[in-house]
């Protein structure tokens, strides 16, 4: 697609290979403003849904995210539910310690990406096409180095999301918020209930 504001553009790159040489597809998009918008988010989700359904059929899938407003857009949430894709946002105030990308994989990715950029002849005054090509090339190399299967598994396990470890998450929450267990559960339950209520109201309004 074009890269005008409100639209998205897919950047092609070599498929990532794991140590077992399995191919892993990925998609990157850009917007004119540099900020994620509904068009770009739907573009990413459509690519994922096509990829998932082509390999896993009708199996359910959960996509975890933080509470960025665009991630909780009711139209996108309902659109994905119809495809058996569940957009599951982490509870507000927990993403900085609970989301996986703040653990090993993305920390390594940022470091490797910076290393590769410093080794190129990159200049911000270059034309857009040249900048995109250089940045994408560096990102692909950094991703292949950082996103090893063991790193990904370790990150999910370390934060307690998979395998699901409620005791680990509860202990971390107590440490972060210094709340009693009963108060914490009450707060989490209310936030989840409020979120589901908003989605239902939006669906009923249609």
């Amino acid at each position: 697609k074009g890269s005008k504001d409100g639209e998205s553009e897919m950047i092609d790159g070599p498929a990532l290979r794991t140590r077992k040489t399995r191919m892993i597809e990925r998609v990157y998009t850009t917007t004119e403003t540099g900020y994620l918008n509904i068009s770009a988010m739907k573009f990413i989700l459509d690519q994922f849904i096509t990829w998932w359904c082509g390999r896993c059929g009708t199996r359910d899938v959960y996509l975890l995210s933080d509470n960025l407003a665009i991630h909780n857009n009711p139209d996108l949430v309902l659109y994905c539910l119809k495809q058996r894709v569940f957009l599951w946002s982490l509870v507000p105030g927990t993403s900085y310690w609970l989301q996986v990308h703040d653990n090993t994989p993305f920390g390594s990715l940022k470091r490797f990406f910076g290393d590769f950029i410093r080794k190129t002849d990159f200049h911000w005054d270059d034309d857009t096409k040249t900048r995109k090509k250089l940045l994408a090339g560096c990102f692909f190399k950094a991703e292949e180095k950082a996103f090893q299967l063991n790193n990904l598994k370790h990150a999910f396990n370390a934060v307690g999301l998979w395998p699901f470890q409620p005791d680990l998450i509860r202990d971390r929450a107590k440490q972060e918020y210094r709340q009693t267990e009963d108060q914490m559960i009450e707060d989490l339950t209310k936030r989840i209930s409020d979120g589901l209520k908003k989605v239902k109201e939006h669906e009923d309004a249609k």
Side-chain angles (χ1 to χ4, degrees):
K1 296 185 177 181
S3 58
K4 295 179 181 179
D5 188 24
E7 296 183 348
S8 306
E9 175 185 9
M10 183 166 67
I11 302 176
D12 295 320
L16 179 66
R17 290 179 180 271
T18 67
R19 286 181 297 179
K20 294 183 179 179
T21 69
R22 291 184 302 151
M23 304 299 286
I24 299 176
E25 298 181 30
R26 70 259 215 258
V27 174
Y28 302 95
T29 67
T30 61
T31 61
E32 187 69 21
T33 62
Y35 292 97
L36 184 62
N37 53 40
I38 291 180
S39 175
M41 185 68 181
K42 186 176 183 299
F43 175 73
I44 294 171
L45 291 170
D46 282 338
Q47 301 301 314
F48 173 78
I49 290 169
T50 299
W51 178 87
W52 177 265
C53 291
R55 288 156 181 77
C56 303
T58 58
R59 292 179 62 185
D60 295 342
V61 58
Y62 287 83
L63 294 182
L64 301 176
S65 70
D66 58 20
N67 263 271
L68 186 67
I70 198 72
H71 295 159
N72 295 313
N73 179 274
D75 291 328
L76 289 179
V77 172
L78 292 173
Y79 172 75
C80 288
L81 281 174
K82 294 176 181 178
Q83 315 293 328
R84 304 184 69 85
V85 175
F86 299 83
L87 301 184
W88 194 261
S89 295
L90 302 176
V91 175
T94 67
S95 59
Y96 73 97
W97 57 269
L98 190 53
Q99 62 188 355
V100 177
H101 82 223
D102 280 342
N103 205 273
T104 309
F106 274 78
S108 300
L109 176 67
K110 293 175 185 177
R111 184 173 70 256
F112 294 143
F113 182 56
D115 291 342
F116 285 123
I117 284 290
R118 284 187 286 273
K119 294 177 182 177
T120 68
D121 189 27
F122 176 82
H123 301 286
W124 284 108
D125 55 356
D126 289 337
D127 63 273
T128 302
K129 186 175 181 179
T130 299
R131 293 202 311 271
K132 284 183 179 180
K133 185 176 180 180
L134 280 172
L135 289 173
C138 290
F139 196 90
F140 294 148
K141 292 178 182 178
E143 180 188 61
E144 187 170 14
K145 191 173 180 180
F147 283 14
Q148 297 296 321
L149 185 58
N150 285 340
N151 275 355
L152 298 174
K153 286 183 175 181
H154 170 77
F156 274 94
N157 184 67
V159 299
L161 287 177
W162 187 264
F164 185 51
Q165 303 171 69
D167 290 340
L168 176 63
I169 295 175
R170 186 181 297 111
D171 290 343
R172 182 64 186 275
K174 286 181 180 180
Q175 178 184 345
E176 294 292 335
Y177 305 120
R178 301 185 185 281
Q179 294 179 325
T180 64
E181 182 176 355
D182 289 343
Q183 183 62 49
M184 181 187 71
I185 292 176
E186 182 180 339
D187 290 346
L188 295 182
T189 302
K190 184 178 184 303
R191 288 173 178 175
I192 292 173
S193 176
D194 290 346
L196 293 175
K197 182 179 178 181
K198 289 180 180 179
V199 170
K200 187 178 185 305
E201 288 175 349
H202 182 84
E203 185 177 18
D204 292 342
K206 289 186 175 182

